[in-house]
Amino acid sequence: MFTLVSCGLVAAFFVTVVLLGVFSKRSALDILDWKPTRSPQVEAENEIDDVAQMLEAQNERRRRRGLPDRTEEEVAAEVRRDHAELNERAAAFRAREELPPED
């Protein structure tokens, strides 16, 4: 009997919380009083700084091995080539397996 009452109370609590969430006029952000810690502009600046730091670290290792430095444009071009190759391989696989193309 105790088990049934305990399970019933947990279920009632769960249903109450869900119903409060569904029928509440306030958004979850208002309820939690959530605000982003940084602005999108600061996030973009941090991302640019991260890319520059990673590229510099990679170039430092390349210099130690006697290889030339890479620029951000070279890395972006390599990523585009790799992405195109993956798309070609996926298209060839779909054609071979007769799968519908992805959108």
Side-chain angles (χ1 to χ4, degrees):
M1 184 67 175
F2 175 75
T3 304
L4 291 175
V5 171
S6 297
C7 290
L9 286 173
V10 169
F13 176 74
F14 181 75
V15 168
T16 303
V17 169
V18 169
L19 289 174
L20 283 172
V22 169
F23 293 110
S24 175
K25 302 255 189 254
R26 297 171 58 193
S27 73
L29 299 178
D30 292 337
I31 293 170
L32 297 174
D33 192 30
W34 182 83
K35 294 182 181 42
T37 55
R38 291 181 284 235
S39 71
Q41 180 181 358
V42 171
E43 287 294 326
E45 290 171 2
N46 287 345
E47 188 71 24
I48 291 168
D49 290 342
D50 288 348
V51 170
Q53 289 175 6
M54 288 186 281
L55 190 58
E56 182 55 36
Q58 185 183 45
N59 282 335
E60 182 179 329
R61 293 185 65 147
R62 289 176 65 86
R63 279 185 226 114
R64 279 191 245 143
R65 292 185 295 165
L67 298 172
D69 286 0
R70 297 179 78 189
T71 64
E72 189 174 343
E73 291 78 21
E74 290 172 341
V75 173
E78 183 178 343
V79 168
R80 282 192 298 274
R81 281 193 306 271
D82 290 345
H83 189 67
E85 180 186 343
L86 284 174
N87 285 340
E88 290 170 8
R89 290 173 69 187
F93 175 78
R94 282 190 205 96
R96 192 171 56 244
E97 297 295 324
E98 297 180 8
L99 296 174
E102 281 187 5
D103 291 327

